[in-house]
Amino acid sequence: MLFDKEQIPKAPPTKRMHPSDAGEGMIRFSCPHCGHDTGWIADQWTITENKRGQPCPVCNRPAPTTQDTTR
Ligand SMILES: [Zn+2]
């Protein structure tokens, strides 16, 4: 029995930051979606991964599971 397509929740696409600057073993990413800037961080990825971009920690923050009652 296959799943009904309607029952599978769509995963939101991952928003990625793009490298804005890079130097000796260091790299900096900025997010075109929310403007988040990582500042200079250790370059721990391959060139290919950096070109593809890194997931933005702000845009990809998981949705809160509890209701915000302060609003
Ligand atoms: Zn972002």
Side-chain angles (χ1 to χ4, degrees), residues 34-55:
C34 70
H36 175 68
D37 192 319
T38 62
W40 286 99
I41 53 175
D43 186 356
Q44 56 197 290
W45 303 279
T46 64
I47 292 169
T48 309
E49 285 173 320
N50 285 337
K51 279 185 181 168
R52 194 181 56 186
Q54 295 296 330

Side-chain angles (χ1 to χ4, degrees), residues 31 33-34 36 56 58-59:
C31 178
H33 307 285
C34 70
H36 175 68
C56 175
V58 177
C59 290

Side-chain angles (χ1 to χ4, degrees), residues 1-37:
M1 180 86 180
L2 293 170
F3 284 108
D4 188 334
K5 272 183 185 174
E6 299 294 321
Q7 291 177 344
I8 303 172
K10 277 185 195 167
T14 303
K15 291 207 170 97
R16 290 181 181 278
M17 306 178 292
H18 296 286
S20 56
D21 216 346
E24 285 285 318
M26 302 291 284
I27 195 162
R28 184 173 186 172
F29 288 94
S30 63
C31 178
H33 307 285
C34 70
H36 175 68
D37 192 319

